[in-house]
Amino acid sequence: MQEKIVIVGAGVAGVNAATKLVDNGYPGELITIIDMGNDPYKRKPEEVMTGFLGAGGWSDGKLTYHTAIGGHMSKYCGEEKAMELFDEVITNFKRFHPKPEEVQCSNPEAEPDFIKPYFGLRLFPVWHVGTDYLHEIGKNWYRYLVDKEVKFLWNTKVEQIDFTDQLASYAHNHPESKGIKTIAYDRLIFGVGKSGINFGKQLAEKYDLPTEPKPVQIGVRFEAPQHHFQKLIDVSYDFKLYRKFEDEGVSLRSFCTNNNAAYVALEETYGDHSYNGHAKKDEAYRNDMTNFGILMEIQGIDNPFEWSRNVVKRLQKNGTGLYYSPTRTPSTTSEGETVTVTQVDDLTEFFDAMDGFAGYIMDFIRDMKRVFPTLGSDWGIYMPEVKYLSPEPLVDYNNLALADYSNVHFVGDALSARGITVSGAQGTYVAEYVLHTNKK
Ligand SMILES: Cc1cc2nc3c(=O)[nH]c(=O)nc-3n(C[C@H](O)[C@H](O)[C@H](O)COP(=O)(O)OP(=O)(O)OC[C@H]3O[C@@H](n4cnc5c(N)ncnc54)[C@H](O)[C@@H]3O)c2cc1C
């Protein structure tokens, strides 16, 4: 028997799952992908989180290649298999790239002395695609799946899923389209990413899904002219400075560094504003800025999800997040608009909101000023940057299926993946299982 597969979310995870299936002869007409965003031709620049390839399709396209970065793929399938799956995902991005030779790999091999003793540097390879090429990749990839007869429902939000009757209910966001429709599935791949985190939480509550606890991850998006950091960028494009306070259950790292044509991006989750960043490859967009997250992982907080949400809420003013700089003003987006944020004169709100943890971030910045001596007061921070690690549904490690619903697979950020390569790898991993099951 060949199963009817519904994939909720045309993000990195869902698209890689579908690709693995049709590449291996699975009939495309049995696969329906539903996404609340737009196809890659209609997707607008401001639609950062939704549409073909999801948040990954409008991101900076840094494809990390290490099992310690961006989630826990090796937890499910072991180191060797995880790396094999990462290879497949990176190959897909190159395969649909109009100029694959332009995808560059940065692979630092030693910690430079000048960052010691203040910081450690995580050493791992990362492939860099760039936001503008991602758009072209998206179009080529989409055409491939359509040619293989995979069905897509765009601008369509899945509102409910009945795991028992195997039905997904959805609504089109078109003026002429009324009411809720349903689609039956034999197997469901749930890859709603961060934009669907609320939906995942809703399902976890409705079905009382057992979960694995997660720590808090919160901080700021730091931005400064690139020349201050060039010495380190020459060693590692996406450098990850880190430090750990073992006894206090706190660790910090710089995260998702963007350079050359680097822009701060607004994220909207649960109606609140937080910040992230991306970079373009096209020289026309060069602004010679660098931005990265300074993210803090805090262990031992009861109900970390609610705690993070509360901090994010307290950092909202005039309906936006906050920006602080000793000397600068907020930057513009790649579309030339000022980043939507409220500038504040001091860090009182930040210290109040962070419940005693703001000092770790400010110490990190103080020490960066020591390591990068020209930095001085020439920087700004967008508050907050947050990774909502909602409790991860407990899945069967062999196929990422829910314990009580073996035909429902959670993938990508919906399973706390936190990155393109890991999300794609999870989609591919589930597809391998589906191919294996349908062979029997
Ligand atoms: C600005 C930005 C930059 C980033 N840069 C990087 C980077 O350089 N490197 C990296 O590794 N990671 C990066 N990330 C993170 C990365 O994009 C995500 O980890 C990855 O895309 C997750 O893949 P996913 O398939 O789980 O979800 P997504 O890619 O987010 O896709 C989820 C899809 O589900 C759809 N959806 C959600 N809810 C519903 C619903 N109810 N019904 C129908 N459809 C729904 C959405 O429309 C979306 O298209 C970045 C993220 C952002 C926001």
Side-chain angles (χ1 to χ4, degrees), residues 225-238:
Q226 175 169 336
H227 63 88
H228 300 306
F229 291 92
Q230 195 60 47
K231 208 169 153 190
L232 186 56
I233 293 165
D234 290 342
V235 178
S236 168
Y237 174 90
D238 181 19

Side-chain angles (χ1 to χ4, degrees), residues 179-194:
I180 301 271
K181 297 185 178 143
T182 54
I183 181 167
Y185 63 81
D186 298 313
R187 192 169 292 281
L188 185 105
I189 300 179
F190 189 75
V192 296
K194 256 183 161 181

Side-chain angles (χ1 to χ4, degrees), residues 39-41 52 138-146 152 154:
D39 71 47
Y41 294 93
F52 190 79
K139 289 175 193 161
N140 293 340
W141 203 331
Y142 177 52
R143 273 201 302 271
Y144 172 74
L145 292 175
V146 170
F152 285 89
W154 295 113

